[in-house]
Amino acid sequence: MDSTANSQHKPFSIKLWPPSESTRQVLVHRLTNNLTSNSIFTQKYGALNKEEAQENAEKIEDIAFNTANEHYDREPDGDGGAAVQLYAKECSKLLLEVLKRVPAAKGKELASQNNASTETFFDISKGPRTFLEAEEAENLLKPLKDPGNSYIKICFSNRSFGLGAARVAGPILASLKNQLKEVDLSDFIAGRPEAEALEVMNIFSTALEGSVLKSLNLSNNALGEKGVTAFGALLKSQGCLEELYLINDGISEEAARAVRELIPSAEKLKVLHFHNNMTGDEGALAVSDVVKRSSLLEDFRCSSTRIGSEGGIALAEALESCTHLKKLDLRDNMFGVEAGVALSKALSKHLDLVEVYLSYLNLEDEGVVVLLNALKESAPSLQVLEMAGNDMTADAAPTIAACIAAKQHLTKLNLAENELKDEGTIQISKALEEGHTLLKEVDMSNNFIRRAGARHLAQVVVKKPGFALLNINGNIISDDGVDEVKEIFNKSPDMLAPLDENDPEGGDDDEEVGEAEAAEDELESKMKNLEVGQEE
């Protein structure tokens, strides 16, 4: 054979990454010029002087290089083209961020106190939790008393205010209420006796009454009905709230009703979080009334709230009017099939959905099928889908696969703690084969998956360019199957979650295990020509 002819077919590869030191210095020089020279951006935001520009340019380049280098480490066999693109993209993004921080008026210094942003954040939540009394509060809150301060956002979380501290804070907050836009009072009465805590809440509520807030966070305060009522003056005065957080607040049926009565307007509400409360079905009816009035809602979280079928149906019907919804989290409730069917009607109207969390809702195959059929026709930009722990079986797999195949923007898929087995897993794997280049995480743990299903899923996801983690722990993969999966990920072992809870025996005796393993290859062979969305 002619060796010359042979050599003509040898691939010639040019490594684009990493850039040389001289190339990096050229980029720093270019960034410096962009930060100092006249352009549409410097006209809008202002330019830096040469010294500031040089310092910022070096920081921009260094951050962008490290970001791109980390990406390249995950694709060592590539030519580095993707890393180069990311390098350039990060530089452009960071350059614009620096310019946006420059005062519009030329000649003023970047860090000048006279040109500080009017959107200043005062935060005392850092560090260990402490009990505040009057003297310490005086010192801690002193910056809020400075004449002409421009604080519009405050966070008092992680500090337990006693009555003395509250009496110090009250007048200060009252003096700022016309400029405050965001108030975080989460976890600010921890460990206080009920009577003292309620009086502290009353002081803060009265001080802030009449403010025009966009965001209010009262989470982690064990409010209950009494606590909600203690904040009545503040809540009643809010007509422009865009975000309300009542997480882990002991919101019972009575407290939910109080919330409904005390919120005068929900027309501008975009974020509403009720996670980890004791709401129940009756409370869910009250929450549903608030949701119905929140037509602009984009982010609704009502997870772990002990809501059953009746409350789930009420919430689902209320959500039909929230056509701007982007994130929905109803995890860990007791909806059941009927509520799932009701929810499917709402999902069919939510074209903007990006994240959907519907795990542990007792949906079963029937509820899962109707929900995913609706979701398949809506939410074209869906990125996150979680439906773990819903008693779904391989019978629902064709519908699951068809929905997943339609969601090409998917980054995270969680179907853990179901009974999809090999048959369902292979169908779902095939749905992920084409496209899905943004996929980063798949969780199929605890699904009674054996060797064939695990191998097929691993072979599919390992090829995704930005994939980060596959979790198939807690299944019944044979020892040989585990070895095969690990070999598939041998170049990127961090992408495979631990398999320490895998049970190779699967609870079967030796004969049954042998029969199951003998059938695995036959099953995979039969499934090879199965098309996504194919019904039996």
Side-chain angles (χ1 to χ4, degrees), residues 84-356:
V84 171
Q85 290 180 3
L86 181 60
Y87 184 43
K89 181 179 178 182
E90 286 295 303
C91 281
S92 297
K93 182 184 76 172
L94 294 169
L95 178 76
L96 187 57
E97 288 178 1
V98 168
L99 285 175
K100 285 182 177 180
R101 295 198 298 266
V102 180
K106 292 182 178 181
K108 294 185 178 181
E109 294 184 3
L110 178 65
S112 170
Q113 292 299 316
N114 293 328
N115 289 301
S117 169
T118 56
E119 298 188 11
T120 306
F121 180 27
F122 183 78
D123 184 5
I124 61 171
S125 66
K126 308 303 180 186
R129 178 182 301 187
T130 56
F131 282 71
L132 280 186
E133 301 304 336
E135 184 177 352
E136 187 177 359
E138 284 276 7
N139 294 326
L140 199 59
L141 305 182
K142 189 176 294 184
L144 295 176
K145 299 171 70 175
D146 291 343
N149 77 72
S150 54
Y151 292 115
I152 67 167
K153 180 179 179 180
I154 59 171
C155 178
F156 286 0
S157 182
N158 201 40
R159 303 293 178 122
S160 180
F161 280 75
L163 197 51
R167 287 172 178 155
V168 169
I172 296 174
L173 293 178
S175 69
L176 296 174
K177 68 180 179 183
N178 291 329
Q179 68 189 57
L180 290 175
K181 299 299 179 186
E182 299 181 38
V183 172
D184 185 345
L185 300 178
S186 60
D187 192 22
F188 85 122
I189 51 166
R192 300 291 179 178
E194 181 181 286
E196 183 182 18
L198 290 172
E199 192 167 352
V200 167
M201 287 186 246
N202 269 304
I203 291 172
F204 274 79
S205 177
T206 301
L208 292 167
E209 181 182 5
S211 56
V212 184
L213 300 180
K214 289 185 177 181
S215 177
L216 178 61
N217 190 345
L218 301 176
S219 301
N220 301 311
N221 284 314
L223 296 177
E225 182 185 12
K226 292 180 181 178
V228 171
T229 304
F231 274 112
L234 172 58
L235 291 171
K236 282 181 180 179
S237 68
Q238 298 306 305
C240 297
L241 268 184
E242 295 180 10
E243 300 180 9
L244 178 60
Y245 302 90
L246 295 169
I247 298 170
N248 191 32
D249 270 333
I251 302 294
S252 60
E253 171 189 334
E254 295 80 9
R257 289 187 183 132
V259 170
R260 176 183 61 189
E261 300 304 321
L262 290 171
I263 297 179
S265 172
E267 294 176 358
K268 296 186 178 181
L269 213 55
K270 294 181 180 180
V271 180
L272 181 59
H273 283 198
F274 273 98
H275 169 69
N276 196 29
N277 284 295
M278 306 178 292
T279 313
D281 279 344
E282 293 299 321
L285 299 179
V287 174
S288 298
D289 288 340
V290 178
V291 172
K292 282 179 185 176
R293 294 186 276 132
S294 308
S295 59
L296 297 181
L297 201 61
E298 296 179 0
D299 180 352
F300 180 56
R301 187 182 186 192
C302 199
S303 48
S304 303
T305 46
R306 307 184 187 182
I307 298 175
S309 180
E310 181 184 1
I313 292 171
L315 279 178
E317 292 173 349
L319 286 167
E320 288 188 45
S321 62
C322 303
T323 55
H324 299 281
L325 207 61
K326 295 179 181 179
K327 182 176 179 180
L328 177 63
D329 186 351
L330 299 172
R331 283 175 287 190
D332 190 24
N333 284 298
M334 300 170 283
F335 278 22
V337 175
E338 289 186 27
V341 172
L343 186 58
S344 69
K345 297 176 183 177
L347 290 185
S348 66
K349 301 179 180 181
H350 294 154
L351 299 179
D352 296 330
L353 273 174
V354 176
E355 299 180 26
V356 176

Side-chain angles (χ1 to χ4, degrees), residues 169 407 466:
K407 307 305 172 188

Side-chain angles (χ1 to χ4, degrees), residues 465-496:
F467 194 76
L469 186 66
L470 172 65
N471 185 359
I472 49 174
N473 204 7
N475 285 298
I476 51 176
I477 309 165
S478 66
D479 289 335
D480 288 343
V482 168
D483 290 340
E484 284 182 326
V485 170
K486 288 182 177 180
E487 178 59 28
I488 292 169
F489 285 97
N490 69 329
K491 292 183 179 179
S492 47
D494 290 343
M495 287 165 48
L496 180 63

Side-chain angles (χ1 to χ4, degrees), residues 13-19 68-69 71-73 75-87:
S13 177
I14 299 176
K15 287 288 185 180
L16 302 177
W17 191 264
N69 204 44
H71 175 82
Y72 181 70
D73 287 342
E75 52 158 347
D77 294 331
D79 64 359
V84 171
Q85 290 180 3
L86 181 60
Y87 184 43

